[in-house]
Structures are given as structure tokens and as C-alpha cells.
Amino acid sequence: MDLEQFEIDLNARCVCGCMEGGRFHKIYRFENGYGASVVSNPRIEGFEAQGYQMMFL
């Protein structure tokens, strides 16, 4: 599945700092009305050096 077609371009830098240090924050909106927010390597206690945090929207 090509997720790029569902990616929303917020055209702005995320103010939470999640994009610092080579991280990314992408938001997707799907045809069924649902979506997802995905952050790579979030700065949350308990996460390993590599990982993702995903929130359903």
C-alpha cells in the first residue's frame, strides 16, 4: 500500500520538537474517515533508541 497518497502536508514545522534530531512526524487521513499520526523515535521514557509512536485519529 502506498501511504504517501494519504499523507497530509501540514506545511508547518511541528512545535512539539518531535522533528528535531532526525525524527519525523507524519499525519495520514484515509478514505474511510480515519487517520493516523506517526512519530519516529519519540522522546518518551521507555522507548528504545529506535521506534515509533502511533496515534489513531
Side-chain angles (χ1 to χ4, degrees):
M1 174 183 262
D2 180 18
L3 292 178
E4 288 183 12
Q5 65 179 325
F6 300 109
E7 189 175 333
I8 295 174
D9 181 9
L10 297 178
N11 203 19
R13 183 174 167 85
C14 188
V15 297
C16 73
C18 66
M19 296 175 74
E20 296 172 3
R23 295 175 180 88
F24 70 81
H25 184 183
K26 295 187 178 187
I27 296 178
Y28 301 94
R29 173 106 26 223
F30 303 111
E31 295 170 342
N32 62 4
Y34 290 96
S37 172
V38 180
V39 180
S40 68
N41 196 15
R43 290 188 277 180
I44 296 176
E45 185 176 334
F47 270 82
E48 300 292 330
Q50 296 179 356
Y52 298 90
Q53 178 182 25
M54 182 172 172
M55 219 177 216
F56 295 103
L57 306 172

